[in-house]
Amino acid sequence: EIVLTQSPGTLSLSPGERATLYCRASQSVSSTYFAWYQQKPGQAPRLLVYGASSRATGIPDRFSGSGSGTDFTLTISRLEPEDFAVYYCQQYGSSPITFGQGTRLEIK
Amino acid sequence: QVQLVQSGAEVKKPGASVKVSCKASGYTFTTYYIHWVRQAPGQGLEWMAFINPSDGGTHYAQKLQGRVTVTRDTSTTTVYMELSSLRSEDTAVYYCARAGTNQALDIWGQGTMITVSS
């Protein structure tokens, strides 16, 4: 099983700042099958990025994904108030599909 | 619009079974796989299983093998997830989600809270 470790666990930033979230895999992951999701309290997750760097439909361009192999990054260029949420990485190229434990992005 | 609508919350006793439904609409049902993901209170996401609605083929997380069964009814465009021998640690919100063109989970149901308690 591929273990995904996200860092930091919690990130405290202010609106307008840049956020960088990390996800490290225990073994190499196909970037074609790597995604990021956002989840707000009481809501289902929402797909942000798939294929490591492709934005999902309707996702603002302040969200960008990058990385390959074992190290992946989600960057939010300028934080908006609605961006404060929990973010999960996911690999879906190897069975079982696995998620990271999440990074909580909170308002400083 | 494309959507997945799940059945309502349930409370079950330990040892019982639960069956959650997920009705798809707004797209061709047999084109996209449906996955099930659960989230225990305050915890992260755990992948459980998927089904190919076209032929009914399934794949389950090894951890749940033998306790989880996913089926589909093409006439009603509904996918079902049944979990048996429930234990307290199965208490969670259960989500169905569509695997889109790239296989990432692009459409999610609203979630179904399953509480296992004596």
Side-chain angles (χ1 to χ4, degrees):
Chain A
E1 171 175 327
I2 296 177
V3 176
L4 301 178
T5 303
Q6 294 186 237
S7 61
T10 301
L11 187 56
S12 299
L13 293 170
S14 300
E17 291 193 291
R18 180 185 186 91
T20 305
L21 286 67
Y22 301 95
C23 182
R24 173 162 287 177
S26 59
Q27 56 189 279
S28 186
V29 170
S30 170
S31 58
T32 300
Y33 302 115
F34 187 89
W36 289 93
Y37 299 84
Q38 176 194 67
Q39 187 178 34
K40 297 180 180 179
Q43 296 184 17
R46 176 173 73 146
L47 177 65
L48 297 176
V49 170
Y50 64 91
S53 60
S54 297
R55 273 187 301 276
T57 302
I59 301 303
D61 60 8
R62 64 180 181 272
F63 290 91
S64 63
S66 63
S68 63
T70 60
D71 293 291
F72 296 86
T73 301
L74 176 71
T75 302
I76 311 172
S77 58
R78 283 181 57 86
L79 285 166
E80 297 288 343
E82 62 267 27
D83 299 336
F84 292 91
V86 179
Y87 292 81
Y88 294 95
C89 58
Q90 179 210 27
Q91 68 79 25
Y92 47 102
S94 297
S95 183
I97 291 168
T98 51
F99 292 89
Q101 83 281 12
T103 289
R104 179 177 306 277
L105 178 56
E106 64 176 27
I107 299 176
K108 188 172 182 180
Chain B
Q1 72 280 28
V2 177
Q3 62 178 352
L4 300 174
V5 178
Q6 299 182 222
S7 49
E10 301 207 44
V11 179
K12 294 291 185 180
K13 293 194 181 303
S17 296
V18 69
K19 193 170 187 178
V20 180
S21 67
C22 170
K23 180 169 175 60
S25 61
Y27 70 96
T28 302
F29 177 66
T30 52
T31 300
Y32 301 97
Y33 286 25
I34 294 290
H35 292 243
W36 288 89
V37 175
R38 69 179 180 178
Q39 186 171 37
Q43 302 301 308
L45 303 169
E46 179 186 14
W47 174 79
M48 299 175 65
F50 69 70
I51 187 167
N52 177 353
S54 180
D55 62 9
T58 55
H59 185 62
Y60 303 121
Q62 190 170 14
K63 170 184 177 181
L64 295 171
Q65 202 98 30
R67 289 207 300 137
V68 64
T69 304
V70 178
T71 56
R72 95 296 191 212
D73 181 341
T74 55
S75 68
T76 60
T77 66
T78 302
V79 173
Y80 300 91
M81 186 282 298
E82 183 168 22
L83 188 61
S84 62
S85 302
L86 289 168
R87 27 190 106 140
S88 58
E89 51 265 41
D90 294 318
T91 293
V93 176
Y94 289 74
Y95 294 101
C96 61
R98 187 186 82 164
T101 307
N102 173 257
Q103 299 302 310
L105 304 179
D106 65 347
I107 304 293
W108 291 67
Q110 82 275 20
T112 298
M113 181 70 209
I114 302 298
T115 303
V116 182
S117 173
S118 54

